[in-house]
Amino acid sequence: SGSTPLAAYQLEFAATNGLAKIVGIEGGEPAAFREPPFYDPKAMQRERVILASFSTAAAAELPTGKTRVATVHYQTTDSQPPRFELKLQTAGDAQGTRISAKASFVERKTQ
């Protein structure tokens, strides 16, 4: 969200090559998004899920810049790597105004 405090977001996350199954969703690192986001469990079973969350915290308590807002857990049994797609649908600031933001994802390897 650059230098703008992030108060709300909605994004779509999908496994695109049929090699992964979404099995769980957790919240992110900043306190504003520590709780799991809202999502449809039935959609999750089809390798696609829309995640959304918002915080009513004061702007000074909201994250800025690159922030992990959620963790998506997936399961795969194939030797080929799964492919994913992430689309930011909207993001907002503490006043509820739409803001410019970018979405990205990083795979964290288990040890």
Side-chain angles (χ1 to χ4, degrees), residues 14-100:
T16 60
N17 63 349
L19 298 178
K21 178 180 177 183
I22 299 170
V23 295
I25 297 172
E26 294 181 21
E29 285 183 3
F33 298 110
R34 192 154 293 133
E35 293 298 315
F38 296 98
Y39 65 94
D40 179 358
K42 285 188 178 185
M44 186 174 86
Q45 295 171 359
R46 291 187 285 272
E47 291 79 42
R48 173 188 168 273
V49 66
I50 294 174
L51 307 175
S53 187
F54 66 93
S55 174
T56 57
E61 298 173 20
L62 296 171
T64 58
K66 191 170 185 175
T67 303
R68 182 169 57 91
V69 296
T71 298
V72 177
H73 297 275
Y74 70 90
Q75 178 182 23
T76 184
T77 56
D78 200 284
S79 60
Q80 296 181 35
R83 288 193 306 262
F84 302 102
E85 184 175 88
L86 179 66
K87 294 179 185 174
L88 178 65
Q89 295 174 329
T90 193
D93 66 11
Q95 288 75 39
T97 304
R98 183 178 283 216
I99 62 172
S100 176

